[in-house]
Amino acid sequence: MRGKWHVLGALPFLTLFFLFFFFFFNLHIKTTLLSDNAVLIPPANPPAEFSLLIGILTRADNYDRRHFLRLIYGIQSSPIAKIDVKFIFCNLTKEEQRVLIALEILRFHDIIILNCTENMNSGKTYTYFSSLPRILPHHYNYIMKADDDVFIRLEQLASSLRPLPRADLYYGFVIPCASKNPFVEYMSGMGFILSWDLVEWIGESDIPANNREGPEDKLVGKWLTMGNKAKNRFSDKPAMYDYPGANGKCSHDLIPETVAVHRLKRWDRWLHVLRFFNVTKGLKPSKLYHID
Ligand SMILES: *[C@@H]1O[C@H](CO)[C@@H](O)[C@H](O)[C@H]1NC(C)=O
Ligand SMILES: *[C@@H]1O[C@H](CO)[C@@H](O)[C@H](O)[C@H]1NC(C)=O
Ligand SMILES: *[C@@H]1O[C@H](CO)[C@@H](O)[C@H](O)[C@H]1NC(C)=O
């Protein structure tokens, strides 16, 4: 009996002791972490000079293509730009999409579903640009619209944008293919970039709102010309082009300074391109895989 009372009597002191110990230990861990961080943070990379959102217009059902493109862009980055890649499609139409796309969003956070009906040349590009200022959590310096059959080299793309104006800019591969004059017509839908002010203008002006029917890339050029916008235009030739032999004067051989190659609709073309640009050269030998 005496022993039991003794232990119970000591309980408050023990509790106090553990509380004190816990508090002190916690504090110690926090300060250690803080000072470690203080040493680790300063020499990190310089901040990005500008930001770019690449929206790849695709369809909800193209699961395999998205999976592949996530690999292609997931292994690339640029030291000078903050680049986000997202997949853009219109309203979901099938029951299974609501579950499968929800899984993708939970896992990858890289999908934007616009309020539109999937249909070539009926305003998806308009909905894309005009919705962004309302729906994005923050703005970007540049917004790109890209196809899902184009290979974009992010480092080269960022380097080509670096010296260009951050405002009133329309960048891409000018049509007609043989032309080098960026003011002649419009930039090909394979991949073109607008500065943020032009994206806001598309969302606010009546000109795009009243001219939504037609080939989407051509329309964007038309809006900008009608609105007397995009005084700064840049056609990135020969760094952007269609796959060799795929499309007449829009095509030429693969070249080292490439920014984007378009019309990669077949695996043999993707393989050729990925090999040419040494995309998998970084793979280190390992006992875990026999790859030769
Ligand atoms: C979506 O688009 C439809 C048809 O254009 C429109 O009636 C509706 O208000 C839009 N919904 C939202 C949330 O913007
Ligand atoms: C897209 O889906 C939403 C929600 O189901 C609907 O309110 C809207 O009208 C649809 N928009 C179009 C353009 O079909
Ligand atoms: C790919 O690697 C080879 C061999 O190292 C090199 O000669 C070639 O220039 C590289 N190609 C590109 C596009 O960087």
Side-chain angles (χ1 to χ4, degrees):
M1 276 310 260
R2 266 190 69 110
K4 194 169 170 193
W5 279 111
H6 192 74
V7 170
L8 281 180
L11 252 181
F13 295 101
L14 271 175
T15 317
L16 257 178
F17 174 78
F18 279 119
L19 262 179
F20 178 78
F21 181 77
F22 182 76
F23 182 72
F24 178 80
F25 186 68
N26 223 350
L27 207 72
H28 180 72
I29 289 203
K30 281 204 182 114
T31 45
T32 321
L33 279 176
L34 275 178
S35 57
D36 278 358
N37 274 349
V39 175
L40 284 174
I41 289 169
N45 292 334
E49 293 173 28
F50 58 89
S51 58
L52 164 68
L53 171 68
I54 302 180
I56 300 176
L57 271 61
T58 183
R59 286 163 178 271
D61 278 339
N62 290 352
Y63 300 97
D64 292 348
R65 177 51 59 102
R66 278 199 294 287
H67 171 67
F68 175 66
L69 292 176
R70 282 187 183 112
L71 298 178
I72 292 293
Y73 295 113
I75 61 169
Q76 296 190 60
S77 64
S78 158
I80 58 171
K82 165 94 177 74
I83 303 180
D84 290 336
V85 177
K86 298 202 186 283
F87 298 98
I88 316 294
F89 34 86
C90 291
N91 266 359
L92 304 183
T93 53
K94 300 175 185 166
E95 262 326 293
E96 85 259 12
Q97 288 172 347
R98 291 179 218 289
V99 177
L100 298 179
I101 304 287
L103 284 174
E104 281 187 67
I105 293 173
L106 285 168
R107 175 65 182 82
F108 298 109
H109 315 284
D110 63 358
I111 285 175
I112 295 177
I113 305 175
L114 301 170
N115 182 18
C116 54
T117 308
E118 212 65 69
N119 202 336
M120 219 23 194
N121 297 338
S122 74
K124 184 173 177 182
T125 299
Y126 171 74
T127 308
Y128 171 55
F129 285 117
S130 62
S131 306
L132 288 182
R134 276 188 293 109
I135 63 179
L136 287 178
H138 57 83
H139 91 290
Y140 291 82
N141 294 111
Y142 300 114
I143 303 289
M144 183 172 204
K145 178 262 151 180
D147 280 343
D148 65 2
D149 62 347
V150 65
F151 172 58
I152 303 168
R153 297 172 81 210
L154 300 187
E155 206 168 341
Q156 285 72 13
L157 176 67
S159 303
S160 71
L161 277 168
R162 188 183 210 174
L164 298 179
R166 300 282 181 259
D168 211 22
L169 178 75
Y170 183 26
Y171 167 113
F173 172 91
V174 77
I175 300 291
C177 290
S179 175
K180 290 212 164 72
N181 174 6
F183 291 88
V184 67
E185 270 201 57
Y186 61 96
M187 303 299 173
S188 155
M190 74 159 89
F192 62 86
I193 293 174
L194 296 172
S195 54
W196 182 256
D197 55 317
L198 293 181
V199 175
E200 287 185 313
W201 176 77
I202 290 175
E204 292 159 2
S205 165
D206 289 338
I207 293 173
N210 295 330
N211 293 276
R212 299 196 209 175
E213 291 295 318
E216 309 238 4
D217 45 5
K218 194 168 182 174
L219 278 179
V220 174
K222 184 176 160 187
W223 301 335
L224 295 172
T225 301
M226 284 174 75
N228 201 19
K229 292 283 177 181
K231 303 278 192 327
N232 305 305
R233 300 191 183 199
F234 184 77
S235 175
D236 203 358
K237 293 178 180 177
M240 295 175 78
Y241 50 98
D242 282 352
Y243 184 81
N247 191 21
K249 285 187 172 146
C250 300
S251 293
H252 58 69
D253 284 346
L254 302 182
I255 52 172
E257 60 269 34
T258 295
V259 165
V261 190
H262 182 220
R263 294 191 191 269
L264 303 179
K265 290 201 191 292
R266 302 192 325 236
W267 282 117
D268 58 328
R269 291 180 180 177
W270 273 107
L271 292 186
H272 179 199
V273 165
L274 297 179
R275 288 211 170 103
F276 183 87
F277 296 109
N278 298 323
V279 172
T280 62
K281 272 274 162 72
L283 190 65
K284 304 265 187 303
S286 165
K287 287 178 195 152
L288 294 176
Y289 35 77
H290 297 271
I291 218 164
D292 303 329

